[in-house]
Each structure stands twice: as structure tokens, then as C-alpha cells.
Amino acid sequence: MKIIATAFALCLMLSISAQNQQIDSLKFLLNKQTGRDRVGSLNELSWYYKNINPDTAKIYAREAIAISEKLKDEQLTALSINSLGTAYQTTGNYDSAIVFLRSALAFHQSLQDSVRIASTLNNLGICYDEQGNYEHALQHYFEGLKIIEQTNDLNTEAMLISNIGIVYKKMKDYDQVLRYYERSLGLYKQLNHHFGIAATIGNIGSVHIQLKNFQQAISSSRQAQGLYKELGYSRYIPYMIGNEAIASDSLRLENAEELYRTSIEGHEAHSNHYELAYQYKNLASHYLRKGNLLEAQNYSTLARVSAAKIGAKEMLKDALKLSAQVSANRQDYGSAYKYQLEYEVVKDSIFQETKTKQIYELQTQYETEKKEQQIALQSAEISEQKAQNQRNLAVIIGLIFTVVLLISVILLVRSRARKKQALLQQEAEIKFREMQIEAAISSQEKERSRFAKDLHDGFGQMISILNLNLKSLEAGDQDKHEVFENSSKVLDEMYQELKGICFNLMPQTLIKHGITAALKEFASRINLTNQLLVETDFFGLEERLTDVQEISLYRIAQEWVNNVMKYSDADKVMIQITRDEDEITLLIEDNGIGFDEDLLKSGKGNGWKNMNSRANLINGKLELDTSPGMKGSTLILETVPEKIPHPVLT
């Protein structure tokens, strides 16, 4: 839940009356103002209108830009362009917003205005966040945070840190989310910002639920409830009660049912329809677990109806799946089949919407740029008409000359700003590539060293033996048939050695038949040594994974099993890969000696680093369950089946 953003929006609504008075006052002043004063009022009006009527906000911002450019005031021009960018951002036209915000950023950078640079970077980060480009969002947020930390603007710093936490939450990196939310909380306490404190504590509670720290989640949720009550924000108390209910339910506490009902009553009172559907679904799951199938059916029905009413397809999909499960448990297989079919229809609909999203965004970008051109053309025609009515031919000619000169200067300034920005971006990309190349070279050198050692130790000795056999023919000391047989055996051994080296470099079974066949072959090779028994188990892998997924999973398994053989004194290992609708899970268990996890992660070796690099390629996260004196160790890798990036492997 984006509690902070939602709550600020509510505060905005509660202050509509005061804003209307401010808007009327600004409009009255605007009739009498010119020059810089007029630009200031226009930008203020644009700021107010962006949340009321974004199209009006754009009109005010455009007039502010025109006056600022005539005044040749770069600071006012930057502020006015920023106003236009935020107006587009409010309407969800992020491509156009990014264009204008980057232009404003170039002006702020040339003026070395640290606070406004950080603020504009924050707005750009929001645009990329909403587009789902989390890497660019974090890049801009961190750049802004680095700048603002050199100032004393704690409000902007807290806002940037909170936004970083929001992005990490979307990326499901909850440890990072908790870290940044706690930093944000510290700043809000320093600022004595009561609402920021309450909202951040509530957010921290929701993160603890994801981390399965349910006692901490309950504590944070109750604390946030008390703070919201003191502030009079009763609308947000049901959110906190709902979080407490989820945590209590997870701990199998008896008060979970009562908390769910209290949360539902609160959301009903404030018409929070989405949260109603969510809590209906949670309560239905609670009753299903307790075996109260009648109540489970009632609340799963309420969840379906509520989700369908507000068009929340993801929620509807989950509610339909739950209804199918409840009906199946009630042995009402006809209804279970019906809900399952509806679930598949909604699921396919969501997939199609995701598939067409990129096409729609490209079309929207094209339409936005076309509309911009039309608006610019209309503005030019209006300006020209006014000039013809007010000035004589000589003044018109002079004005045209001035406008052409001004446009040339603006184009030159913008060109320089774009080149400067492109250079900074290119330097960042070069640095990132250098880091990738360094990591790849390190990995390659390690593989080459091992490959050379295998060739030297294996092939070197065999070639020497073969050479001696052949030289014995020259001396005529041995029977040729015996020499031939010995040489043939050596060649066979060389062939087997070569097959082993090729298998370690890249198993052909992995390329031709996939991860299951490759891991079975890997296990079989180890089992032949009688040093370790390796068992494999696979679920949901009827279809092959992507190349990046298969190679990464194989190398991680290979690296870890080799470590088990070297250090754990285990005699049995289980390799299991499971794929379902939501995630792919690699699990490797052994019955060896436990060890200190921190020593592995902080060691000088590259094994753990290489495994983490492989996991990062597929947006996965490694978890390790082991400790000194404990019998056995477990390695778990979880990743998402879809939306996996496809970089080039080295």
C-alpha cells in the first residue's frame, strides 16, 4: 500500500476549499502582472491545477515558458519547463514528462541549483517507476539523494528515501525496503512530521509481513493505529488493522477473525472498495483453513463481487481461484469447475493486457508528440494574429527577426544541454560495462586456469606415455602388437578425459535436452565416484526454461554440489527444482556438517560471488540455511518464471 502518497492525496482533497481561495487570488493578481511576477503566478497556478485539471495546468505552464524565454531568464525557464513536465506526469504521459523534466534538469545543472536538481531527479524517478523501469528509477533517486545529502533539505531527502523504498518493494527486495523505510522514519522523527512518522511505521509493518516477521508486523501496525487515531486520520486505521489481522492469522492467533471483521467494517465506512475485496479474500482464506466452508464460500463470493465491481482483475483472479478451492472442498465440483474456467479467462485477459501494454505506450507516445505539434502550431498562429492586429509592418518584421534569433539561441542552449546529458549517460554506461567486463574476465580466467590444469595434469601425462610407447617401436625392444594395445588404451583414456573436460565447460545434454537431463547426468557422474549419492527431483518442468535460466540454475547447482563434496563431509545430496505459476525454486539439501554462513559470504573465494552473479541474471535471490554444529545445509534460489532479462552470458 502506498500509504504516504494516498494520504497526501487525501489531505489535498480536504484542503480544496483553501486551494480554491488561493487560485482565485492568483487569478486576480495575474490580470495585473507582467514579467517575472506573472511567471511566478503562472507556475503556482499550474502546480495547483495539475491535480484538478491537468490540461489547464499545461496551458499556464506553457505561457510561463514563453515569458521566461523572452526574459532570457534561465532559472524561470527551468521552473516553468518543470511545471509542464509535472503536469504531464500527473496525467500518466510519462514519455512527454521525461522529455520536459530532462530539459528542466539541464537548466538546473547549468545553474548549479542543488535542491532543484534533486527535486527534478525525484520527479524523473517517479516517471520511470510508474513505467516499470525500476533500474532507471533507482538511478535517478540515488543521484538525487547523493546531491540532497549535501544540503539541509530533510524533507526532500525523506521523500527520496521513501520513493527508493517503494521501488525496492515492487522489486520484492524487502530487506532493502525495510532499510530505507527506517531511514525515512528517522528523518520524519527529526522533522517532527507526525503524519510521515505514522505512514512510515505502517509501511514498515507491511514489510515485516512480507519478511514473515509477524510479531514485528503486529507491533508496527498497532503503533501506526494509535498515531493515526491521534492525528484524526480514521480512514487509514482499517489498513493497519488489516495488516495486524494478516500477521495474527499467520501466527494462528485467535483474534485474527475479529481483526479481519473490524478492518472490513472500517473500509466499508470509508468506501475503500479495493481493500474491502482484499480483506474479504483474506477472511475467506482464514475460514477455509479452519474448515468453515460456509463462511469461506460467503466471503469468497463477496471478494469476487467487490473485485469485479471496481475492475480489479488481479484481485478477481485470486478470488476466483479461492472460490474454486472452496467449492472443491465442499465437493461441489460443478461450481469448482465453473470458477476454475472463469479464473483461466481472467488470467488470460491479464496476460493479453500485459502483452499489448508496450504497443499501447508507443502509440500513446506518438499521439502525445502529435498533439504537442498541433498545440505549438496553434499557439504560433494565435501569436501571429495578435501581432498583425497590434503592430505595423515594420514592427512585425522586427518581431520575426527577434523570434528567429531567440529560437536559435534556445536551440543552441538545448543542444548543448542534451549533449552534456548524453555524455554523462555515456560515461555511466561505459563504467557499468567496464564492471561487467571485469567480472566476466575474472570468471573466464578462472575457467581457463582450471581448463589448463586439467589439460596439463591429464593430457600431459597421457601424451608422455604415448610418446614412450611410440619411441619403444624405434628401439625394437617391445612387441608391436603389445605397443599398439597399450597406445590404444592411452587414447581411450585421453578420449574419456576430453569428454570430462567438455562436460565441465558446457554439457551438451544441457544444450540439447535441458536442465533436468543435464542435472541427472551431472548426478550420475558424481554417483559413479561412490564419494557422494546425488538424487534429483523435478516438478512442473515439462516445458524448457529460457537459456539464461537453465545455464544459471545448472552452474549454481554444480558449484554448490562441488563445495559440498569438498568441505561438508556429506554422503547424500538432494537437488530439487520446482516451477509453478508464480516462481521457480531451486533447493539443494545435504546431510553434511553445518558451517558459519558469514565466513562463506566474506571469504576471499569467488564461488559464492559467482553464484550470486548467476542468480542476479535471472532476478533470483539466494538463501542459505546452515549453522555450525547443525546437521545438514540447505541452499534455496527463488526466481520468477516471466519477465526475466536476457543479457549475453560470458
Side-chain angles (χ1 to χ4, degrees):
M1 293 178 295
K2 295 181 180 178
I3 295 176
I4 294 177
T6 306
F8 283 144
L10 178 65
C11 293
L12 181 64
M13 293 173 64
L14 294 174
S15 61
I16 288 257
S17 177
Q19 286 190 10
N20 286 338
Q21 294 177 3
Q22 185 67 23
I23 289 171
D24 291 337
S25 176
L26 286 169
K27 286 183 176 179
F28 177 78
L29 288 173
L30 198 63
N31 293 326
K32 302 178 181 180
Q33 290 176 323
T34 59
R36 290 175 173 81
D37 292 337
R38 185 174 180 84
V39 172
S41 296
L42 287 167
N43 280 321
E44 283 193 63
L45 284 166
S46 178
W47 187 86
Y48 281 117
Y49 269 104
K50 71 178 182 179
N51 292 310
I52 302 171
N53 189 331
D55 289 333
T56 302
K58 293 174 188 176
I59 292 172
Y60 284 124
R62 289 182 186 284
E63 185 179 348
I65 292 172
I67 297 173
S68 300
E69 290 178 342
K70 287 181 181 179
L71 294 172
K72 298 182 179 179
D73 189 324
E74 290 188 355
Q75 187 175 36
L76 288 178
T77 301
L79 292 173
S80 303
I81 294 173
N82 188 77
S83 295
L84 185 57
T86 55
Y88 275 105
Q89 176 184 319
T90 303
T91 59
N93 294 326
Y94 299 114
D95 291 314
S96 296
I98 289 170
V99 171
F100 290 115
L101 289 172
R102 285 197 175 281
S103 178
L105 179 63
F107 278 107
H108 292 319
Q109 288 172 333
S110 66
L111 295 168
Q112 298 182 346
D113 189 339
S114 299
V115 173
R116 288 195 171 96
I117 289 172
S119 179
T120 306
L121 287 167
N122 179 67
N123 288 332
L124 283 165
I126 292 172
C127 291
Y128 285 118
D129 180 7
E130 293 299 328
Q131 286 184 323
N133 190 340
Y134 301 136
E135 181 181 349
H136 276 68
L138 288 176
Q139 177 185 337
H140 286 82
Y141 285 147
F142 280 123
E143 188 177 351
L145 183 60
K146 182 179 180 181
I147 293 170
I148 208 65
E149 284 175 341
Q150 305 302 317
T151 70
N152 197 33
D153 190 344
L154 299 182
N155 274 306
T156 303
E157 184 177 351
M159 176 176 60
L160 280 160
I161 291 172
S162 295
N163 287 342
I164 291 170
I166 289 170
V167 174
Y168 276 126
K169 190 171 184 180
K170 291 180 179 179
M171 297 171 68
K172 298 184 178 180
D173 189 347
Y174 297 113
D175 289 328
Q176 289 282 38
V177 177
L178 196 59
R179 173 188 168 196
Y180 282 96
Y181 277 170
E182 287 174 348
R183 280 185 63 185
S184 176
L185 179 60
L187 289 173
Y188 283 127
K189 287 181 177 178
Q190 189 175 343
L191 291 165
N192 203 25
H193 194 304
H194 299 296
F195 177 77
I197 294 170
T200 307
I201 289 174
N203 285 341
I204 288 172
S206 67
V207 174
H208 279 306
I209 291 176
Q210 299 298 331
L211 290 171
K212 303 187 186 307
N213 301 329
F214 299 117
Q215 288 292 358
Q216 294 94 318
I218 292 172
S219 175
S220 296
S221 298
R222 288 178 177 173
Q223 187 179 356
Q225 289 176 48
L227 293 171
Y228 280 131
K229 189 174 182 180
E230 291 176 6
L231 293 170
Y233 289 115
S234 60
R235 182 183 184 88
Y236 298 102
I237 294 175
Y239 290 89
M240 300 300 98
I241 296 174
N243 283 349
E244 184 182 354
I246 294 169
S248 298
D249 201 7
S250 300
L251 292 172
R252 303 295 190 263
L253 300 181
E254 291 296 328
N255 66 335
E257 179 180 339
E258 180 183 353
L259 289 169
Y260 279 132
R261 291 184 178 277
T262 304
S263 175
I264 288 171
E265 290 174 2
H267 287 309
E268 286 175 342
H270 293 93
S271 300
N272 296 330
H273 299 295
Y274 183 87
E275 288 299 317
L276 269 174
Y278 181 61
Q279 295 302 344
Y280 287 149
K281 180 174 69 70
N282 289 340
L283 188 52
S285 298
H286 171 80
Y287 282 125
L288 177 61
R289 178 179 60 79
K290 295 184 71 175
N292 189 340
L293 299 181
L294 180 60
E295 289 291 347
Q297 182 185 33
N298 291 338
Y299 280 97
S300 65
T301 300
L302 287 172
R304 292 199 322 273
V305 173
S306 299
K309 184 177 180 181
I310 61 175
K313 288 190 175 181
E314 285 287 348
M315 186 72 69
L316 178 59
K317 175 173 70 73
D318 294 341
L320 285 167
K321 188 174 183 179
L322 181 60
S323 293
Q325 188 176 355
V326 172
S327 296
N329 284 12
R330 297 184 70 212
Q331 297 184 353
D332 184 0
Y333 300 113
S335 297
Y337 178 71
K338 170 193 168 187
Y339 292 134
Q340 185 65 29
L341 287 178
E342 291 179 11
Y343 163 80
E344 295 296 338
V345 170
V346 175
K347 178 183 174 184
D348 291 341
S349 174
I350 293 171
F351 174 77
Q352 289 299 327
E353 287 177 0
T354 303
K355 184 178 180 181
T356 58
K357 181 180 178 182
Q358 185 176 11
I359 297 174
Y360 173 78
E361 289 176 350
L362 291 172
Q363 183 179 0
T364 301
Q365 180 181 358
Y366 169 75
E367 293 295 335
T368 300
E369 292 174 353
K370 185 177 179 181
K371 185 177 179 181
E372 288 295 320
Q373 292 175 355
Q374 291 174 345
I375 293 172
L377 181 61
Q378 291 171 359
S379 299
E381 290 175 350
I382 292 170
S383 299
E384 183 179 353
Q385 186 63 42
K386 288 181 178 179
Q388 290 175 350
N389 294 336
Q390 297 175 0
R391 295 175 179 83
N392 57 34
L393 183 60
V395 174
I396 292 174
I397 295 173
L399 180 61
I400 292 173
F401 176 81
T402 303
V403 169
V404 170
L405 181 61
L406 183 61
I407 290 174
S408 299
V409 172
I410 292 173
L411 290 175
L412 179 61
V413 171
R414 289 185 176 179
S415 176
R416 291 177 61 189
R418 282 196 297 268
K419 289 179 180 178
K420 183 178 180 181
Q421 184 62 28
L423 182 60
L424 291 173
Q425 185 174 354
Q426 185 180 10
E427 290 175 352
E429 290 175 353
I430 291 172
K431 187 176 180 180
F432 179 69
R433 291 195 192 99
E434 287 176 350
M435 293 173 63
Q436 287 184 319
I437 292 170
E438 183 178 348
I441 290 173
S442 176
S443 177
Q444 288 174 352
E445 288 301 322
K446 182 180 177 182
E447 286 298 311
R448 288 172 179 170
S449 176
R450 184 172 62 82
F451 183 50
K453 186 176 182 300
D454 288 344
L455 289 174
H456 179 272
D457 294 346
F459 270 71
Q461 294 178 9
M462 294 178 188
I463 290 172
S464 297
I465 294 170
L466 186 61
N467 189 38
L468 289 173
N469 284 342
L470 294 174
K471 285 185 176 180
S472 68
L473 291 174
E474 295 178 358
D477 296 334
Q478 294 186 20
D479 180 66
K480 292 182 179 181
H481 182 70
E482 181 182 352
V483 172
F484 174 78
E485 287 183 350
N486 291 336
S487 299
S488 179
K489 289 179 182 179
V490 172
L491 288 172
D492 286 339
E493 291 176 5
M494 291 173 70
Y495 175 67
Q496 294 301 322
E497 181 75 13
L498 181 60
K499 282 181 64 179
I501 293 173
C502 291
F503 178 81
N504 288 331
L505 287 174
M506 180 57 69
Q508 292 300 306
T509 306
L510 178 63
I511 297 172
K512 294 179 180 179
H513 304 294
I515 184 69
T516 57
L519 285 177
K520 287 178 180 178
E521 182 180 2
F522 174 65
S524 176
R525 284 174 174 266
I526 294 177
N527 292 339
L528 288 174
T529 65
N530 293 323
Q531 180 182 351
L532 183 68
L533 175 61
V534 181
E535 297 180 352
T536 59
D537 205 359
F538 307 103
F539 300 95
L541 294 178
E542 291 77 11
E543 297 180 0
R544 291 193 60 173
L545 308 177
T546 65
D547 292 345
V548 177
Q549 290 173 324
E550 291 192 336
I551 293 173
S552 298
L553 291 171
Y554 181 83
R555 291 304 187 197
I556 290 170
Q558 183 186 45
E559 179 74 28
W560 189 251
V561 172
N562 286 336
N563 285 341
V564 170
M565 293 175 65
K566 290 179 183 177
Y567 307 114
S568 74
D569 196 26
D571 58 21
K572 186 176 180 180
V573 171
M574 165 61 77
I575 303 175
Q576 183 184 90
I577 300 180
T578 304
R579 178 173 69 177
D580 57 25
E581 178 182 314
D582 298 318
E583 65 184 5
I584 299 171
T585 303
L586 168 66
L587 184 143
I588 306 176
E589 294 181 310
D590 67 77
N591 62 351
I593 301 170
F595 56 90
D596 189 340
E597 180 179 344
D598 293 333
L599 291 178
L600 171 67
K601 295 180 178 179
S602 61
K604 296 182 180 180
N606 291 323
W608 181 254
K609 296 177 183 177
N610 290 338
M611 290 169 64
N612 271 285
S613 298
R614 294 286 185 182
N616 289 335
L617 285 174
I618 56 175
N619 282 351
K621 184 177 180 181
L622 288 174
E623 295 182 8
L624 186 57
D625 182 13
T626 186
S627 62
M630 183 180 77
K631 184 70 173 178
S633 302
T634 303
L635 178 75
I636 301 174
L637 168 65
E638 292 182 345
T639 185
V640 181
E642 300 175 348
K643 298 182 179 178
I644 300 298
H646 296 278
V648 177
L649 286 176
T650 57

